[in-house]
Amino acid sequence: MGKMFDFGLVFRQIPSLLQYLPVTMELAVISMLVGLILGLLLAIIKIKNVGFLNKIVNFYISVVRGTPILVQLYIAYFGIPMFLRYINTKLGTDYQVADIPGFLYAVAALAINQSAFECEVIRAALQSVDRGQIEAANSLGMTYLQALRRIILPEAIQVALPSLGNSFITLIKSTSLAFTCAVVEMTAQGKIIAGRTYRYFEVYVSLAIIYWVITILIEQLIKFFEKKTALPEQVAIYNPERALAAQEVQAHD
Amino acid sequence: MIEIKDMKKQFHDNVVLDGIDLTIHKGDVIGIIGPSGTGKSTLLRCINRLEVPDEGSITIDGHTYTSKAMKSREVIELRKQTGMVFQRFHLFEKKTALENVMEGLIVVQKKSREEARQIAFEELERVGMLPWINHYPKHLSGGQQQRVAIARALAMKPKLLLLDEPTSALDPELVGEVLDTIRNIAKSGYTMLLVSHEMEFVRKVSNRVIFLDNGHILEDGTPREVFEHPKNERTREFITKMNRLVEADYVI
Ligand SMILES: Nc1ncnc2c1ncn2[C@@H]1O[C@H](COP(=O)(O)OP(=O)(O)OP(=O)(O)O)[C@@H](O)[C@H]1O
Ligand SMILES: [Mg+2]
């Protein structure tokens, strides 16, 4: 029997866990992006109050928010193949269900879960943009989509950034449940290592440290983006001569 | 020539516009006056379809836009020919003064950045805002914001400029600069509908004044006719009241 707690191992095994960091990050980033796009669509449906679709969206959000992410992952992992096989027999299609990687099921479940939360954040942010600006855009002859892209989103993103950042952090931690879809990411790799060494406690401490550091880094990144998208505090008066001089200096460089 | 025919709008059972007919000639500067809540804003908003009128049509240079069954493409087409200046400016908060003016040129008129920049410079210069082109709306005073908003509308070269109480959200000492700007563009031949409570200004700048009350045009004539010899009792009451307000201002 060795030491009760192998302190050195906690740090020594971090590199072999980090080998699977890319999988964790891919899961998180792809799910986040898909979730954002879905969430934006849902938010627009809710804002535009598209009668029948609106009811479906409300139902979808209610179901997704009302069930644990672990259960959703299992449902995706078992449900989607079942559904595809059913389609194969019904429509005579030929989806190679066995060839679909677990990664896709995990992304599907995480993205759907994410979209339901993102929808509310995005909706609140979109609606925080003053209606007057939208009317001004319309009065110039912009379509809703143009106004959305050029006027509404740039302002809404800044409002939503802190909430979206937090939900991304939550999402990174949720990826540790992707083992349910047979995906080997960091946490799953940790379990595999521990299965060999029987040092379960040490592995979980290593994992805790890694997730914690990632979270801190991402918090910093969000703060950086928040600063970058903020308007400057003050701006210099425009002076045509000085602007011309600056252009010439640039040309000489 | 722009022709508005039988424009109707009601909110629930509140009839705001009850069949407005109005013919606007090129270069007309029409002042629209009337008591609060008579539908002056609603009329302007129905013209560029920020509000959907219940009935009516607008003909601009021979092309008629009928209120019912208007496709979104037509709505855009109509809005491209009209410009709007709002009471509360409504500048794009995340864009500089220059970008505010360039926005419609790039996105709607599909001009190149360089060309849009050129036009924006000219328009901002015209309203005396050249030194502030790199400022964001939050850095500008109300009067400055409104001048940028006017430049933004003018840059699109609208056939009809709609101004809805462009000075009534401004501090008194800032009203003058915006009125001067409007007087200049009126002189340069723009066709405009101007809603305003600044009676003295309306009288000076317009070539035609309309008194709107209860959804109808009660008076339509030269400033002199409407202000000095109103035909209608309601107009007379309104003008007396406004005059008294101005006099009261002087007393204070
Ligand atoms: N979206 C709306 N829903 C319901 N009623 C409205 C709406 N917009 C305007 N109204 C009503 O229509 C009437 C006319 O309003 P409008 O804003 O056109 O008046 P106005 O002549 O511009 O007044 P003011 O001089 O105070 O600006 C008012 O009774 C107002 O309450
Ligand atoms: Mg009004």
Side-chain angles (χ1 to χ4, degrees):
Chain A
M1 184 74 197
K3 289 179 270 185
M4 275 267 283
F5 176 57
D6 189 345
F7 195 75
L9 182 61
V10 168
F11 293 96
R12 262 182 281 119
Q13 67 192 356
I14 282 182
S16 51
L17 289 171
L18 283 181
Q19 276 176 6
Y20 286 82
L21 177 65
V23 182
T24 293
M25 291 316 285
E26 272 167 33
L27 269 175
V29 170
I30 297 175
S31 307
M32 184 76 189
L33 290 178
V34 177
L36 273 177
I37 293 167
L38 265 176
L40 178 64
L41 281 176
L42 299 179
I44 291 175
I45 291 174
K46 287 196 80 167
I47 288 175
K48 290 252 142 186
N49 209 347
V50 193
F52 175 63
L53 277 179
N54 212 8
K55 291 216 171 73
I56 298 180
V57 171
N58 283 338
F59 176 73
Y60 170 93
I61 291 175
S62 164
V63 170
V64 175
R65 297 182 93 165
T67 48
I69 177 73
L70 193 62
V71 174
Q72 289 166 9
L73 280 158
Y74 276 125
I75 288 181
Y77 189 54
F78 293 109
I80 297 176
M82 240 159 84
F83 177 71
L84 288 178
R85 270 189 216 105
Y86 172 79
I87 299 246
N88 275 348
T89 53
K90 275 279 161 192
L91 302 177
T93 49
D94 191 23
Y95 294 118
Q96 296 298 310
V97 176
D99 293 347
I100 300 175
F103 186 85
L104 281 187
Y105 298 126
V107 164
L110 290 170
I112 286 174
N113 184 270
Q114 201 65 10
S115 71
F117 288 89
E118 262 22 323
C119 166
E120 290 303 313
V121 173
I122 294 173
R123 184 170 69 118
L126 290 179
Q127 286 182 329
S128 77
V129 177
D130 170 32
R131 269 210 62 78
Q133 286 184 63
I134 303 169
E135 290 197 337
N138 288 148
S139 78
L140 291 175
M142 286 194 215
T143 62
Y144 178 74
L145 278 183
Q146 286 172 333
L148 184 71
R149 194 166 54 85
R150 304 279 312 192
I151 310 298
I152 306 174
L153 278 181
E155 199 171 330
I157 283 172
Q158 188 165 24
V159 175
L161 205 55
S163 304
L164 293 183
N166 276 332
S167 99
F168 183 59
I169 288 170
T170 309
L171 175 60
I172 290 178
K173 291 178 285 190
S174 300
T175 59
S176 65
L177 298 171
F179 67 87
T180 47
C181 298
V183 178
V184 180
E185 39 64 66
M186 251 175 2
T187 303
Q189 169 64 5
K191 283 183 192 164
I192 292 169
I193 293 176
R196 274 199 314 266
T197 60
Y198 294 105
R199 290 281 185 183
Y200 283 95
F201 182 68
E202 284 81 351
V203 155
Y204 286 122
V205 173
S206 308
L207 284 169
I209 292 171
I210 296 175
Y211 282 109
W212 182 47
V213 171
I214 293 176
T215 301
I216 290 173
L217 289 179
I218 288 180
E219 276 170 353
Q220 293 308 312
L221 202 67
I222 296 164
K223 280 210 188 103
F224 171 76
F225 277 128
E226 273 179 69
K227 270 217 193 93
K228 222 180 138 84
T229 52
L231 297 182
E233 274 308 314
Q234 40 183 299
V235 178
I237 293 279
Y238 173 76
N239 178 335
E241 281 155 36
R242 216 185 301 155
L244 212 64
Q247 259 177 13
E248 270 163 24
V249 170
Q250 261 181 358
H252 281 294
D253 281 350
Chain B
M1 198 172 77
I2 297 162
E3 227 177 338
I4 296 161
K5 275 218 182 96
D6 198 31
M7 182 81 78
K8 285 188 182 160
K9 176 72 185 174
Q10 69 186 69
F11 296 105
H12 296 286
D13 49 4
N14 178 11
V15 179
V16 180
L17 302 178
D18 193 9
I20 300 284
D21 293 306
L22 183 63
T23 303
I24 305 164
H25 300 283
K26 199 166 182 325
D28 262 354
V29 177
I30 304 183
I32 302 178
I33 58 171
S36 184
T38 49
K40 302 182 296 296
S41 299
T42 306
L43 175 60
L44 295 195
R45 294 167 60 81
C46 280
I47 290 175
N48 76 348
R49 277 233 154 200
L50 286 182
E51 211 74 71
V52 181
D54 301 328
E55 249 171 79
S57 69
I58 302 174
T59 308
I60 302 181
D61 290 348
H63 190 295
T64 301
Y65 302 89
T66 311
S67 180
K68 286 214 180 98
M70 211 158 140
K71 295 193 192 72
S72 43
R73 189 176 45 77
E74 279 182 298
V75 174
I76 299 288
E77 212 44 55
L78 172 63
R79 285 180 180 156
K80 280 186 186 173
Q81 311 197 44
T82 55
M84 184 117 176
V85 174
F86 300 87
Q87 185 174 353
R88 307 208 55 85
F89 335 129
H90 298 326
L91 290 183
F92 306 132
E93 299 290 332
K94 299 285 283 181
K95 298 189 188 299
T96 63
L98 184 67
E99 289 164 346
N100 262 276
V101 183
M102 288 169 65
E103 190 64 15
L105 296 168
I106 292 173
V107 178
V108 179
Q109 296 189 350
K110 312 281 180 218
K111 290 205 160 47
S112 70
R113 277 197 80 79
E114 221 17 76
E115 198 181 348
R117 227 180 125 78
Q118 193 66 38
I119 297 172
F121 258 89
E122 283 163 21
E123 294 299 339
L124 284 162
E125 181 153 35
R126 190 212 299 250
V127 298
M129 285 298 293
L130 211 45
W132 291 276
I133 53 170
N134 291 328
H135 284 54
Y136 288 88
K138 71 164 185 178
H139 299 133
L140 298 172
S141 75
Q144 293 173 327
Q145 288 188 52
Q146 191 61 299
R147 278 147 66 197
V148 173
I150 290 172
R152 176 176 67 179
L154 288 184
M156 306 294 284
K157 302 277 180 298
K159 291 183 179 150
L160 176 65
L161 185 63
L162 309 165
L163 301 108
D164 190 3
E165 303 198 30
T167 57
S168 54
L170 298 177
D171 292 338
E173 73 268 23
L174 299 179
V175 169
E177 61 184 76
V178 173
L179 291 186
D180 287 343
T181 307
I182 296 172
R183 190 177 296 124
N184 282 338
I185 56 178
K187 269 191 211 139
S188 59
Y190 269 99
T191 311
M192 319 194 315
L193 286 186
L194 166 70
V195 173
S196 179
H197 287 296
E198 302 275 341
M199 291 301 140
E200 207 39 51
F201 180 68
V202 169
R203 191 205 289 247
K204 275 191 204 136
V205 81
S206 343
N207 66 333
R208 201 172 143 198
V209 175
I210 283 172
F211 178 68
L212 200 65
D213 190 36
N214 272 328
H216 295 279
I217 294 179
L218 286 193
E219 208 94 36
D220 180 351
T222 63
R224 195 180 204 131
E225 282 165 356
V226 175
F227 283 107
E228 283 161 31
H229 311 288
K231 288 179 245 149
N232 199 289
E233 183 56 34
R234 298 272 307 165
T235 323
R236 209 166 303 144
E237 269 171 40
F238 175 74
I239 287 170
T240 318
K241 203 172 94 194
M242 295 308 285
N243 281 343
R244 215 176 296 136
L245 281 178
V246 174
E247 277 161 25
D249 265 356
Y250 283 132
V251 173
I252 295 165

